[in-house]
Amino acid sequence: MKMLFKQRLFSWFDSYDIYAEDGSTLFTVEGKLSWGHCLHILDARGEHIGTVQEKVMTFLPKFELYAYGEYLGCLQREFTLFTPRYTFDCSDWEIEGNWTEWDYTVVSPSQGLVASISKELFNWTDTYVIDVPDPANALCTLMVALAIDADKCSHG
């Protein structure tokens, strides 16, 4: 399953549309006014299904992830010198980027490749392609991509 993650051009807060390969809308993301990034994920019917909330006043960026009202866990950037790396405390997922911080892989020792996230260059807004072999991981992988993008916006 491939998802196209595209930031809206004219928006006061972070807003994104997430499309399937056929162009249909899978999710929309609305930024909310708060300390740090707060992103609400809506399904195609407009129902709230997830939240990515940045924790403020931390040495390294941390994001709390919620799906269907349940706390999933915390995504935290690790201290590294050349390639960005994140840990997700509720799973065995390992998230690592390349030195340009444009492309990321999400792997799991138990599942193998969970997702690949690639930034498309030469667009007016941030645009990513998220390739998820198992559609059951789509929402969680989207939340990881949103947290990484929010981290890059805050500190890059």
Side-chain angles (χ1 to χ4, degrees):
M1 168 181 195
K2 284 193 179 190
M3 299 185 291
L4 181 65
F5 168 116
K6 191 172 181 92
Q7 185 175 22
R8 291 184 190 156
L9 184 58
F10 298 107
S11 171
W12 288 105
F13 300 105
D14 295 329
S15 296
Y16 307 89
D17 294 306
I18 292 77
Y19 302 100
E21 287 181 273
D22 64 3
S24 62
T25 301
L26 294 172
F27 306 101
T28 56
V29 179
E30 299 174 349
K32 300 295 179 184
L33 182 62
S34 72
W35 292 104
H37 291 270
C38 181
L39 304 168
H40 286 201
I41 302 165
L42 310 172
D43 65 11
R45 295 182 310 271
E47 295 182 26
H48 180 259
I49 59 170
T51 302
V52 176
Q53 176 69 54
E54 182 177 13
K55 293 182 78 172
V56 294
M57 306 299 285
T58 60
F59 177 66
L60 292 171
K62 290 182 181 182
F63 295 86
E64 292 180 334
L65 308 181
Y66 299 86
Y68 302 101
E70 298 288 323
Y71 177 73
L72 292 181
C74 186
L75 183 79
Q76 179 176 347
R77 186 173 181 138
E78 292 182 6
F79 180 76
T80 58
L81 294 178
F82 299 109
T83 60
R85 185 172 176 79
Y86 296 84
T87 56
F88 194 20
D89 67 1
C90 68
S91 73
D92 63 349
W93 289 10
E94 299 170 6
I95 302 134
E96 189 166 337
N98 65 358
W99 64 275
T100 61
E101 298 190 35
W102 290 334
D103 300 319
Y104 292 83
T105 56
V106 181
V107 295
S108 163
S110 61
Q111 299 176 22
L113 179 68
V114 175
S116 61
I117 303 166
S118 305
K119 184 171 183 171
E120 289 189 344
L121 303 178
F122 310 114
N123 287 301
W124 287 95
T125 61
D126 287 343
T127 303
Y128 295 88
V129 174
I130 305 171
D131 190 6
V132 184
D134 182 1
N137 292 326
L139 178 60
C140 198
T141 303
L142 173 61
M143 289 193 277
V144 167
L146 287 166
I148 290 170
D149 186 63
D151 175 32
K152 288 172 56 175
C153 288
S154 294
H155 303 96

